[in-house]
Amino acid sequence: MRRVDTSLLEALRADDDLQRRAEKALREDGGRAPLTLRKAGVDPAMAAAALTLADLRVHARGKFGERAERLYFTRAGLEQATRWVVARRRAARFARSAGEVTDLCCGLGTEALAFAEAGLRVEAVDMSEETAAYARANAEAAGVSVEVRVGDALQAPLLEAAFADPARRSGAGRNFNPAAYSPPLDRLLEHLAGARFAAVKLGPGVGHEWIPEGAEAEWVSVDRDVVEACLWLGEAAEVRRRASVCKAGEWHELTGEGEEKAVVGEVAAYLYEPDGAVIRAGLVAELAERLEAHTANETIAYLYGDELKESPFARAWKVEEVWPLHPKKLRSLLAERGIGRLTIKQRGTGIDPAELRKQLKLKGPNEATLVATRVGEAHVAIYCHATSRREASGTP
């Protein structure tokens, strides 16, 4: 195996002062930060490495919070790393059923940290010697015990529980086909069958045809952003489909078979947009039952109900009027109401919201939401208002 030079990483780990100086230079001097460090006598290669780390730690805060300040990242590793709130929740589920776990394709080791902090004994494996060095550095920085070794995920022996996060990027960019993951999903699933309790993280766009018989397929969203899918295998599978939604730091779960169809009806007093995790998990019908709502077209995920019901699984709008989806007529109707700020949403019509906005020539002091969709086969524009200030601003 080719020897990988990790001397820059080791030098950075040994020089806390340089890390702090790089963070300060990046914060105060911006684009002139490299010059600041070089003027202070820092070796150019070390300066570049320290500034890259400082920049990555800033970007990592969204996933890891304050703990990002002491971890070590690569750009590709951070891109694939699981958000800490998701990793911690998954680790807790493992810890309820197992005492040890093999972490395959461990990357920077952040998932392994969550397993270790949950009390599991962790053996982490990655094909890249450089990546494994980062995983060791992060385990030491976090003060936990993780055994990290370099090896092929498909050949690594498994403990009673196993987790895998196969690489979804290549030199050509992001891979949406699980057969092109590294390692390929089908071969990885065969290997994971050797563990009693197992899970594999996937991209959120994975097709349902990749879900093995008897597995649980979970889609996860954090503050309305669908961040991943996860297959739970063996004894880990509890239900067929699960949508797990983290809203303002609190987790909510919706489960079901994922095969039901919502009742079809007319537009009602309130319009609901299900969370993306619910839609991808195929649990719109289960949500409709909770909300006492229905859809207006069985292929479109908008729901309608006569009464407003708060739910972490959907956003709601008060329906004011339903208009034909004719841009010229819409422009006149919106002008009459003084709408200068308009949120445009669409499902099932094929329109480009940005292009429609240009045609509407909005002007006025008021704001509203326009939902372009289908009722039956008719293309309509639903004029509505948010049910809360938070929805109106579009914030999580």
Side-chain angles (χ1 to χ4, degrees):
M1 183 178 293
R2 181 176 63 88
R3 179 67 182 172
V4 175
D5 185 3
T6 59
S7 58
L8 279 178
L9 172 62
E10 297 307 316
L12 273 178
R13 292 178 61 192
D15 197 338
D16 290 338
D17 180 64
L18 176 57
Q19 293 183 38
R20 288 191 292 270
R21 289 160 63 195
E23 291 166 5
K24 183 175 184 292
L26 190 66
R27 182 175 61 252
E28 296 182 356
D29 302 329
R32 294 180 58 82
L35 181 60
T36 300
L37 292 185
R38 288 199 297 271
K39 283 184 174 180
V42 179
D43 174 78
M46 282 296 295
L51 288 170
T52 297
L53 176 60
D55 180 60
L56 290 174
R57 282 175 170 173
V58 170
H59 287 89
R61 288 173 191 159
K63 285 188 173 184
F64 296 98
E66 292 183 358
R67 69 176 50 239
E69 297 174 6
R70 64 178 186 273
L71 297 181
Y72 296 87
F73 301 101
T74 64
R75 211 165 292 280
L78 178 57
E79 173 82 19
Q80 180 149 327
T82 303
R83 295 181 187 229
W84 185 251
V85 66
V86 179
R88 184 174 58 191
R89 175 175 173 270
R90 179 160 40 231
R93 183 168 172 178
F94 268 81
R96 288 194 293 270
S97 299
E100 56 186 11
V101 59
T102 305
D103 182 3
L104 302 175
C105 318
C106 72
L108 301 180
T110 52
E111 200 103 31
L113 304 186
F115 287 134
E117 291 189 12
L120 291 113
R121 182 173 77 84
V122 185
E123 293 184 0
V125 180
D126 198 275
M127 179 69 79
S128 164
E129 183 178 340
E130 179 184 16
T131 303
Y134 274 85
R136 294 187 190 98
N138 284 328
E140 184 175 320
V144 297
S145 175
V146 175
E147 180 185 336
V148 182
R149 64 177 182 272
V150 178
D152 183 345
L154 297 177
Q155 301 298 322
L158 303 180
L159 299 173
E160 62 168 328
F163 172 75
D165 184 4
R168 294 179 292 281
R169 278 190 173 275
S170 66
R174 183 174 297 175
N175 287 320
F176 294 97
N177 179 6
Y181 287 0
S182 180
L185 179 57
D186 50 354
R187 296 185 61 196
L188 188 56
L189 290 174
E190 291 176 4
H191 187 50
L192 289 173
R196 176 180 64 81
F197 188 102
V200 55
K201 174 184 168 184
L202 308 174
V206 64
H208 285 215
E209 68 274 12
W210 280 94
I211 302 172
E213 187 67 30
E216 172 188 325
E218 175 189 33
W219 276 263
V220 180
S221 74
V222 178
D223 293 330
R224 298 192 186 128
D225 181 17
V226 184
V227 296
E228 68 170 63
C230 184
L231 296 181
W232 295 88
L233 311 166
E235 293 181 15
E238 298 175 349
V239 297
R240 289 196 75 237
R241 301 287 185 272
R242 187 189 308 267
S244 298
V245 172
C246 184
K247 187 175 181 181
E250 183 176 351
W251 284 99
H252 309 269
E253 295 183 359
L254 181 67
T255 61
E257 293 298 304
E259 297 178 348
E260 302 297 321
K261 297 293 185 182
V263 172
V264 179
E266 296 298 320
V267 175
Y270 294 93
L271 180 152
Y272 296 94
E273 180 183 40
D275 186 275
V278 174
I279 296 172
R280 291 180 183 270
L283 297 175
V284 172
E286 285 81 352
L287 177 60
E289 184 176 357
R290 282 196 181 194
L291 296 174
E292 298 182 358
H294 56 268
T295 185
N297 182 300
E298 65 178 12
T299 67
I300 298 174
Y302 289 133
L303 298 173
Y304 306 89
D306 293 322
E307 296 182 9
L308 177 62
K309 293 182 179 293
E310 296 292 336
S311 171
F313 301 109
R315 303 167 67 185
W317 287 264
K318 177 70 173 70
V319 174
E320 306 293 349
E321 299 182 64
V322 181
W323 301 325
L325 187 55
H326 298 155
K328 288 185 178 179
K329 183 62 175 177
L330 292 177
R331 184 171 68 187
S332 174
L333 291 167
L334 293 168
E336 289 174 7
R337 290 155 180 79
I339 303 300
R341 298 185 303 280
L342 184 70
T343 298
I344 301 175
K345 308 179 72 64
Q346 88 84 28
R347 286 186 188 275
T349 67
I351 69 162
D352 179 350
E355 183 60 32
L356 177 60
R357 184 181 300 279
K358 292 178 184 177
Q359 298 177 54
L360 296 177
K361 301 184 185 301
L362 301 168
K363 185 178 181 180
N366 301 322
E367 63 181 298
T369 297
L370 194 73
V371 179
T373 186
R374 299 205 311 270
V375 175
E377 293 307 312
H379 288 218
V380 302
I382 302 176
Y383 175 69
C384 50
H385 286 91
T387 58
S388 70
R389 190 177 300 274
R390 174 176 293 178
E391 300 290 3
S393 66
T395 58

